[in-house]
Amino acid sequence: MAHGPDKGLSRWLFTTNHKDIGSMYLWFSFLMFLVGGVMALIIRAELFEPGMQIVDPNFFNQMTTMHGLIMVFGAVMPAFVGLANWMVPLMIGAPDMALPRMNNWSFWILPFAFAMLGSTLFMEGGAPNFGWTFYAPLSTTYAPPSVTFFIFAVHIMGASSIMGSINIIATILNMRAPGMTLMKMPLFVWTWLITAYLLIAVMPVLAGVVTMMLMDIHFGTAFFDAAGGGDPVLFQHIFWFFGHPEVYIMILPAFGVVSAILPTFARKPLFGYSSMVYATAAIAFLSFIVWAHHMFTVGMPLFAELVFMYATMLIAVPTGVKVFNWVATMWKGSMTFETPMLFAIAFVILFTIGGFSGLMLAIAPVDFQYHDTYFVVAHFHYVLVPGAIFSITAGVYYWLPKWCGHMYNEVLGKTHFWLAFAGLNITFFPMHFSGLAGMPRRIPDYHDLFADWNMISSIGAFLFGAAQILFLYIVIRTIVSGRKATQEVWEGSHGLEWTVPSPAPYHTFDTPPEVK
Amino acid sequence: MLSNTKKLLGTPLLASLLVLLLPALAGASEWRLNMTQGVTEVSQEVYSLHMIIFWICTVIGVVVFGAMFYTMIMHRKSKGAKAANFHHSTQVEIIWTVIPSLILIAMAVPATSTLKKIYDTDDADMSVLVTGYQWKWKYEYLGEDLSFFSNLSTPQSQIYEGEARGENYLLEVDNPLVIPAGKKVKFLVTAQDVIHSWWVPDLAVKRDAIPGYVHEAWTRVDKEGIYRGQCAELCGKDHGFMPIEVHVRSQSDYNEWLTQEKAKAAEIAALTQKTFSFDELMAEGEAVYQRACAACHGPGGEGGVGPAIIKSKVATGPIDIHIDVIVNGITGTMMQAFGEQLNEVEAAAVITYQRNGFNNNMGDEIQPIDVYNFKQGN
């Protein structure tokens, strides 16, 4: 049997094994999560009280920009790809991903992309400082020279995402075990299938818009330069045509993770499986026709405002269906509250709160007051932190025993949960208030009117940051010295991934399992 | 382990709620929680829409979270709950698709009518052209031959050196926008360099200021007073330092102010003919430099997001190129055209100051009339 892993570094450099690549994705994203988190803490430290104390405004803008880019493209997206790499083949009874060499490549270009992006911090003129949404012309004519490196980094990230998506689609459509029909697939597989299509649809749009920027900056075009006949609003339309599906790219796989965890610990099947699938597809479709709700104040005609307002409000319907289905899944179950369950329940509650503020933001006339304030910051952090981050964390606790064969320490896990839960709410809930009180986002200094809530937010942020260090400790401790996990791991677990030993052998499902 | 679970679920939740609530209980008026109702018909409509949708969300939240907490408390394994096995009900799915849809339709109706009102800029009594610059606003009273720039007036020492902050820290300007009470005022909003956003919460007016576009917004304020706002679109380094101050005055006070401002403008225009001493130019130049140049080129000319003035090629090169750079800017870079932002006296002063301050010691000077002639193409 020459089928074991290579020894040493070459195992990780040349591996085509979905488990190895999944692990690398997850570790990489955790590293990025810490880097992006440190940037967030620099922001929160400066905002702890009014006056400029720690950084200058230009560096502050670099931090908000890099924090956003790193969290979106470096932490959340690779983490979900990592989970997909590990779990999709195990869940559908496939021996590996369909395109293993491409899998290796799509991971290994990522560290280069982020090394390049990070290196801009040390360049003359500093890192990108125009916000993660990089609106032209601030990001073209008025950008620091490092913007070119930013553009190239985005190209590489996009290539990585597209290859990852092709791989996931090819795997799901071609490599399911006999009997695993589409409507028998676990919801995590479904949500990732739909996410992968979204990625393939919109990453080229992102690549297009940054290429147009590149042209404007270096080759004398004027796509976004009004003085040359171009249109700065065009940039926003293209960006958000990518950007809105992108936010669902970061949340649909989360729906899948939570839909796996809730039934396990409620010891009851997922309620409304097929309506969950249709709701996911509906959300994905709607994500393409709501982009301009990010642009209610750019001066679109009344008719366009109305169309985008109605379409946006419509998203509440399939999203509501999902939440109701999760509650119905828990209803009359026989629940226990291990760490993954705590994170999953917090996901449902806090994501719903983020959904409420999203509904409020959808009302265009009111959005004139909310837009570009801390209310928006509160909103998207409520959908992304308890949404994406909590679901990833829940997934790690849920599947870690399968990956490494050891159980994590339940008391430590719960401590992590409560610290993160408290930290998150102390950080982000007050942002609703500072935003409603009139504090614009992306400002390094503010009037005393906003001082109290900002101080609370900053305290919460450091608590949330500390909780993640505990998470790192728990994971390492589990891998090194946790007690042995059983094959099923959880009492209520269902699905093919729980039919292989813990830890999952290097190669699984060499002969496909039968699915009844 | 299960009883452990229960304990862990209860106490920290309570503790974290307390942490959230304590400041709210202890605090005075500074702990502002909600949106302003504002002072216009539109802002009050917006506020009530905000409250309606907030209460809708709250009610839904109470129902959904109530059900969740009920089931979490009642249906736990440690209490001996046996799992039911239902997993599907088309009827229920239809109900919870239709009810939210109806709520949304009910919500869309008033939202549509308020939005229409926001977009109705017809029949304005007067118009002001609002132009965003990095990092200041320009107000031009159309048909009145009056325009001026509005800069942050909070001293740098309060921002960077920890000096005691004033009452309107970061929300105060040198030249506020003044409008008459009870009149429909139309704002034509645009920008010169990057995108800005003109926002005054009490008026519920937020319009992106975009180069190449002129967008319309309007307000009618009955209550005299001072209303403050900020730029709401990231526009570069000093995005946080370009506030908006609107003074609403009675028609007669407004008329008086208008006459005064026009007289002031005429006075400044007359100064263009005057010859200033070198020291006068240097003193005025330093003030202008700190207001208009320091943000990018550094308070001591050491450079920042823009190049240093100390020993710069422009400041130590031919004087007519220096005038050109100040008046017309440098296309394709962050260097703006200051020809409109600075009057002739200010431009002459700041050029003289840049050439002779910062140890550049060029020993030359220019007069306002030189700048005037340059602008005329002479």
Side-chain angles (χ1 to χ4, degrees):
Chain A
M1 285 288 281
H3 289 299
D6 271 4
K7 293 277 176 281
L9 192 63
S10 62
R11 164 173 177 183
W12 303 105
L13 280 178
F14 304 125
T15 182
T16 54
N17 181 288
H18 74 102
K19 300 182 182 82
D20 283 353
I21 294 173
S23 301
M24 289 196 295
Y25 264 113
L26 288 166
W27 278 114
F28 176 76
S29 74
F30 191 75
L31 175 69
M32 288 296 114
F33 181 51
L34 293 184
V35 172
V38 167
M39 291 172 172
L41 293 183
I42 292 172
I43 294 168
R44 284 311 330 164
E46 178 55 56
L47 292 174
F48 182 72
E49 55 179 5
M52 300 297 303
Q53 291 92 11
I54 297 170
V55 296
D56 69 77
N58 191 35
F59 189 73
F60 182 91
N61 288 345
Q62 295 176 31
M63 287 295 102
T64 54
T65 306
M66 296 289 274
H67 164 72
L69 291 170
I70 288 176
M71 286 304 194
V72 168
F73 295 104
V76 173
M77 292 170 68
F80 278 126
V81 179
L83 289 178
N85 252 292
W86 254 104
M87 300 319 298
V88 166
L90 286 179
M91 285 176 157
I92 62 174
D96 204 308
M97 297 293 281
L99 307 158
R101 286 200 180 95
M102 193 165 85
N103 204 10
N104 173 293
W105 198 38
S106 61
F107 170 76
W108 271 115
I109 60 178
L110 270 189
F112 293 94
F114 282 92
M116 186 161 11
L117 184 64
S119 71
T120 60
L121 278 166
F122 307 100
M123 289 178 190
E124 198 179 322
N129 55 7
F130 30 67
W132 87 274
T133 50
F134 52 98
Y135 280 11
L138 189 61
S139 62
T140 52
T141 316
Y142 294 82
S146 63
V147 64
T148 307
F149 291 86
F150 154 81
I151 290 170
F152 193 39
V154 169
H155 275 139
I156 302 176
M157 293 168 204
S160 165
S161 287
I162 291 170
M163 288 192 290
S165 304
I166 291 172
N167 210 347
I168 285 168
I169 293 172
T171 306
I172 295 172
L173 293 186
N174 296 304
M175 298 184 63
R176 298 192 310 279
M180 173 74 79
T181 59
L182 284 175
M183 288 311 273
K184 276 189 190 165
M185 295 194 309
L187 213 65
F188 179 71
V189 181
W190 255 117
T191 53
W192 241 118
L193 180 64
I194 292 168
T195 302
Y197 276 108
L198 284 184
L199 275 167
I200 289 180
V202 301
M203 288 317 267
V205 177
L206 176 67
V209 78
V210 294
T211 307
M212 290 160 89
M213 283 170 60
L214 188 75
M215 295 286 165
D216 273 12
I217 295 166
H218 293 294
F219 303 109
T221 58
F223 290 112
F224 308 130
D225 179 5
D231 182 351
V233 178
L234 173 68
F235 173 90
Q236 298 183 27
H237 280 295
I238 306 176
F239 177 82
W240 286 113
F241 187 84
F242 145 80
H244 200 77
E246 167 68 19
V247 302
Y248 292 153
I249 286 163
M250 293 189 283
I251 201 66
L252 294 184
F255 291 166
V257 173
V258 169
S259 302
I261 293 173
L262 288 178
T264 298
F265 297 97
R267 292 168 181 75
K268 198 168 147 280
L270 183 69
F271 186 85
Y273 170 87
S274 47
S275 77
M276 286 297 235
V277 173
Y278 302 141
T280 309
I283 293 171
F285 169 73
L286 287 173
S287 76
F288 285 108
I289 55 167
V290 296
W291 76 87
H293 69 214
H294 298 270
M295 307 162 52
F296 278 147
T297 61
V298 301
M300 286 182 295
L302 178 62
F303 178 73
E305 298 261 315
L306 289 173
V307 169
F308 282 106
M309 174 170 81
Y310 300 148
T312 305
M313 292 168 79
L314 214 53
I315 298 178
V317 175
T319 315
V321 167
K322 291 200 148 271
V323 173
F324 299 142
N325 278 331
W326 287 321
V327 178
T329 303
M330 293 163 67
W331 193 257
K332 294 205 168 170
S334 171
M335 274 183 279
T336 54
F337 299 91
E338 287 84 345
T339 308
M341 182 65 162
L342 291 179
F343 274 103
I345 291 172
F347 166 95
V348 177
I349 294 173
L350 300 178
F351 173 77
T352 304
I353 291 177
F356 287 149
S357 55
L359 188 54
M360 296 170 81
L361 285 158
I363 313 294
V366 195
D367 183 68
F368 279 80
Q369 292 284 47
Y370 302 140
H371 180 75
D372 263 329
T373 69
Y374 260 83
F375 190 80
V376 176
V377 179
H379 159 71
F380 68 72
H381 280 94
Y382 258 85
V383 286
L384 281 175
V385 182
I389 303 290
F390 267 26
S391 73
I392 293 163
T393 313
V396 168
Y397 278 112
Y398 184 56
W399 287 308
L400 187 61
K402 180 55 63 190
W403 300 338
C404 72
H406 296 156
M407 285 305 281
Y408 63 88
N409 180 305
E410 198 62 66
V411 173
L412 284 179
K414 280 176 182 148
T415 310
H416 170 215
F417 169 75
W418 284 112
L419 285 177
F421 181 83
L424 175 154
N425 286 295
I426 297 169
T427 309
F428 298 115
F429 211 83
M431 289 183 184
H432 291 110
F433 304 141
S434 33
L436 290 174
M439 179 168 167
R441 63 191 284 206
R442 293 166 165 170
I443 58 173
D445 194 8
Y446 50 84
H447 185 261
D448 288 60
L449 182 65
F450 314 121
D452 306 303
W453 291 122
N454 269 284
M455 191 175 279
I456 302 282
S457 284
S458 293
I459 293 169
F462 280 87
L463 180 62
F464 188 79
Q468 307 316 319
I469 304 299
L470 176 63
F471 182 39
L472 177 65
Y473 169 76
I474 294 170
V475 170
I476 291 174
R477 192 182 129 122
T478 306
I479 294 170
V480 174
S481 66
R483 71 187 158 80
K484 284 286 300 163
T486 61
Q487 179 170 304
E488 296 80 17
V489 183
W490 311 107
E491 189 182 64
S493 57
H494 281 283
L496 289 178
E497 76 261 41
W498 311 108
T499 63
V500 300
S502 302
Y506 201 58
H507 294 291
T508 38
F509 298 125
D510 285 336
T511 47
E514 258 326 306
V515 180
K516 292 183 287 298
Chain B
M1 207 193 81
L2 283 170
S3 64
N4 200 4
T5 310
K6 210 163 50 178
K7 210 167 64 199
L8 278 167
L9 192 73
T11 26
L13 179 66
L14 206 68
S16 53
L17 277 177
L18 268 180
V19 172
L20 271 182
L21 287 176
L22 265 179
L25 296 173
S29 56
E30 286 289 323
W31 302 91
R32 243 177 82 180
L33 297 173
N34 207 355
M35 181 189 285
T36 173
Q37 297 200 26
V39 289
T40 67
E41 190 191 334
V42 166
S43 74
Q44 270 148 19
E45 263 185 43
V46 163
Y47 174 81
S48 60
L49 275 176
H50 159 69
M51 289 316 286
I52 294 171
I53 187 76
F54 169 74
W55 284 115
I56 290 176
C57 290
T58 307
V59 170
I60 299 173
V62 167
V63 173
V64 173
F65 300 148
M68 279 185 77
F69 278 101
Y70 175 82
T71 189
M72 280 192 281
I73 291 161
M74 301 306 287
H75 306 141
R76 34 176 71 206
K77 196 184 171 204
S78 56
K79 283 198 161 179
K82 292 273 174 293
N85 200 33
F86 61 86
H87 53 80
H88 178 77
S89 163
T90 310
Q91 206 181 348
V92 173
E93 300 280 359
I94 289 172
I95 291 172
W96 62 42
T97 306
V98 170
I99 292 180
S101 306
L102 295 176
I103 296 174
L104 289 177
I105 292 169
M107 193 60 224
V109 175
T112 304
S113 101
T114 303
L115 196 59
K116 277 186 175 156
K117 214 170 269 182
I118 289 175
Y119 267 75
D120 179 16
T121 52
D122 292 346
D123 305 321
D125 296 311
M126 59 177 281
S127 301
V128 179
L129 176 65
V130 178
T131 311
Y133 288 75
Q134 280 181 325
W135 292 278
K136 60 195 92 120
W137 296 98
K138 180 187 175 191
Y139 301 115
E140 190 172 345
Y141 288 69
L142 298 182
E144 291 289 356
D145 193 27
L146 174 65
S147 79
F148 54 85
F149 281 85
S150 181
N151 296 281
L152 174 76
S153 63
T154 302
Q156 297 282 307
S157 52
Q158 289 186 17
I159 303 170
Y160 291 97
E161 287 151 32
E163 198 176 277
R165 292 186 295 278
E167 189 192 349
N168 297 307
Y169 180 70
L170 298 187
L171 298 178
E172 52 200 349
V173 299
D174 49 3
N175 303 308
L177 173 70
V178 179
I179 56 170
K183 290 285 158 65
K184 183 165 183 174
V185 181
K186 180 154 84 173
F187 301 113
L188 300 157
V189 185
T190 185
Q192 192 64 39
D193 36 47
V194 299
I195 301 176
H196 306 268
S197 187
W198 196 81
W199 180 36
V200 181
D202 279 322
L203 314 185
V205 172
K206 184 182 284 152
R207 255 305 167 221
D208 290 0
I210 305 170
Y213 282 87
V214 180
H215 286 307
E216 298 184 346
W218 68 277
T219 193
R220 178 187 284 121
V221 192
D222 292 326
K223 205 174 137 214
E224 291 172 37
I226 297 175
Y227 306 103
R228 298 171 195 278
Q230 285 177 273
C231 176
E233 180 66 59
L234 178 63
C235 55
K237 175 174 155 286
D238 281 350
H239 162 55
F241 305 95
M242 51 181 293
I244 295 149
E245 196 177 318
V246 180
H247 290 206
V248 178
R249 298 188 185 167
S250 69
Q251 183 70 47
S252 58
D253 286 356
Y254 167 75
N255 289 341
E256 197 180 316
W257 171 85
L258 201 61
T259 321
Q260 271 175 15
E261 288 301 309
K262 283 182 184 169
K264 244 197 272 174
E267 238 172 79
I268 290 170
L271 285 177
T272 304
Q273 303 299 331
K274 192 186 152 189
T275 305
F276 288 81
S277 76
F278 179 75
D279 292 339
E280 282 173 326
L281 289 171
M282 287 295 281
E284 170 73 4
E286 180 170 9
V288 174
Y289 180 86
Q290 293 303 336
R291 193 177 78 228
C293 319
C296 295
H297 296 289
E302 70 278 17
V305 290
I309 303 296
I310 303 170
K311 301 285 162 242
S312 93
K313 269 196 208 124
V314 174
T316 59
I319 198 161
D320 39 332
I321 293 179
H322 196 167
I323 301 177
D324 184 38
V325 168
I326 300 289
V327 170
N328 297 322
I330 304 174
T331 323
T333 72
M334 286 176 72
M335 181 60 198
Q336 306 172 355
F338 280 89
E340 271 189 61
Q341 302 186 37
L342 303 176
N343 63 45
E344 279 73 8
V345 178
E346 291 168 327
V350 83
I351 291 169
T352 305
Y353 177 68
Q354 289 184 349
R355 301 182 73 78
N356 294 288
F358 314 114
N359 289 326
N360 284 344
N361 300 333
M362 292 295 289
D364 50 4
E365 62 176 66
I366 64 162
Q367 291 293 333
I369 192 70
D370 302 325
V371 179
Y372 179 81
N373 286 336
F374 178 86
K375 283 187 186 171
Q376 300 303 313
N378 303 326

